């Protein structure tokens, strides 16, 4: 039986060793290599003749952090399926990683069963986003038919694209020459139309429907 290979990029050795033991217990997965930062990861990838099936990438690391590493992956190895695995649950960080092409974002306190499902989904479906991170993730690609019926106005699309940047809602209001109250109205309207409950949900919708480039 084929074993899928996982690369672990995390500077906490004890956590990484525990993660390796957990992955090995799944049976159909094995850790290809473990490195402590992005610089070591790049060296390992460039020296290897084969790429891992999935990369588990921490965010806060010395020398070269997860965001910098994800940017390198996007530029040099976009075919790599990467899952962010971090204690950092800030909206800004999550949006950055999604924009850079991360296929999933998990918090380190995740249940082992959900962790295994996330890896499997990324391999088989190409993505996994937990409800805890997205609050109300678009259920799956199966909702495509319903999404086709969603009609967005030009200004709503403009707001949605700006919401996928690092700009604050106040900065978006200034760029669109609208009041913050009007921007709040756009946000709430899109939350309702797209059936999401967070800015991250807006980003995921935009990515899935190719309204922004990643």
């Amino acid at each position: 039986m084929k074993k899928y290979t996982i690369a672990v990029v995390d500077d906490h050795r004890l956590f990484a060793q525990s993660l390796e033991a957990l992955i090995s217990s799944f049976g159909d997965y094995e850790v290809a290599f473990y490195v402590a930062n992005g610089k070591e990861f790049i060296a390992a990838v460039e020296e290897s003749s084969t790429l891992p099936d999935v990369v588990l990438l921490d965010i806060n690391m010395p020398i070269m952090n997860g965001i910098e590493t994800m940017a390198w992956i996007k530029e040099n190895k976009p075919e790599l399926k990467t899952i962010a695995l971090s204690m950092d649950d800030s909206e800004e960080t999550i949006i950055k990683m999604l924009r850079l092409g991360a296929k999933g974002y998990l918090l380190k306190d995740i249940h082992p069963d959900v962790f295994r499902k996330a890896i499997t989904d990324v391999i088989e479906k190409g993505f996994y986003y937990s409800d805890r991170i997205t609050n109300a993730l678009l259920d799956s690609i199966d909702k495509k038919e319903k999404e086709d019926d969603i009609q967005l106005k030009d200004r709503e699309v403009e707001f949605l694209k700006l919401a996928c940047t690092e700009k604050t809602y106040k900065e978006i209001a200034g760029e669109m020459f609208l009041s913050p109250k009007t921007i709040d109205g756009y946000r709430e309207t899109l939350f309702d139309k797209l059936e999401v409950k967070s800015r991250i949900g807006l980003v995921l919708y935009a990515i899935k429907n190719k309204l922004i480039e990643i």
Side-chain angles (χ1 to χ4, degrees):
M1 182 179 71
K2 170 182 169 57
K3 285 198 172 187
Y4 293 102
T5 55
I6 314 293
V8 178
V9 189
D10 194 301
D11 63 315
H12 294 94
R13 183 174 296 276
L14 185 60
F15 175 79
Q17 289 174 343
S18 299
L19 197 60
E20 181 173 1
L22 176 62
I23 291 169
S24 298
S25 74
F26 293 157
D28 43 356
Y29 297 100
E30 63 183 1
V31 173
F33 60 83
Y34 155 70
V35 291
N37 57 65
K39 187 175 181 180
E40 291 181 8
F41 169 75
I42 292 171
V45 167
E46 291 182 336
E47 290 171 5
S48 177
S49 58
T50 58
L51 293 176
D53 293 300
V54 175
V55 177
L56 297 175
L57 181 61
D58 190 17
I59 304 297
N60 298 311
M61 298 180 293
I63 302 176
M64 187 174 185
N65 65 33
I67 292 173
E68 294 167 336
T69 306
M70 194 68 233
W72 181 88
I73 291 173
K74 179 181 179 181
E75 182 70 24
N76 298 278
K77 300 289 183 181
E79 67 273 27
L80 274 175
K81 295 177 178 177
T82 305
I83 301 174
L85 183 61
S86 177
M87 291 302 295
D88 186 346
D89 62 352
S90 71
E91 189 175 76
E92 179 183 0
T93 300
I94 295 168
I95 290 174
K96 279 183 180 178
M97 293 298 285
L98 296 180
R99 289 293 311 257
L100 288 170
K103 304 304 181 185
Y105 199 108
L106 304 175
L107 298 181
K108 286 185 176 180
D109 61 356
I110 192 170
H111 190 281
D113 291 343
V114 179
F115 175 62
R116 181 173 184 172
K117 174 175 170 36
I119 295 175
T120 302
D121 279 3
V122 165
I123 289 173
E124 295 181 353
K125 300 179 183 178
F127 69 93
Y128 175 86
Y129 300 114
S130 69
D131 288 339
R132 179 172 178 183
I133 291 298
T134 65
N135 288 327
L137 176 61
L138 309 172
D139 293 336
S140 69
I141 300 300
D142 295 336
K143 288 187 67 174
K144 184 71 172 66
E145 184 175 330
K146 182 176 180 180
E147 289 170 4
D148 288 340
D149 295 331
I150 296 173
Q151 299 296 321
L152 298 182
K153 299 174 183 177
D154 290 344
R155 291 289 267 175
E156 289 175 339
V157 172
E158 182 182 355
F159 166 76
L160 180 57
K161 289 179 178 180
L162 288 170
C164 295
T165 68
E166 297 175 29
K167 296 180 185 294
T168 65
Y169 286 124
K170 184 177 180 180
E171 289 170 338
I172 292 173
E175 185 153 336
M176 293 182 69
F177 301 102
L178 297 171
S179 70
K181 186 175 181 180
T182 302
I183 288 298
D184 288 343
Y186 275 120
R187 183 187 65 228
E188 296 307 317
T189 297
L190 284 178
F191 280 178
D192 185 56
K193 277 189 177 182
L194 307 182
E195 297 183 11
V196 300
K197 297 181 180 178
S198 71
R199 188 167 179 173
I200 297 162
L202 295 179
V203 175
L204 292 172
Y205 176 87
I207 291 173
K208 281 183 60 179
N209 290 275
K210 297 181 170 54
L211 294 177
I212 60 172
E213 292 185 3
I214 60 171

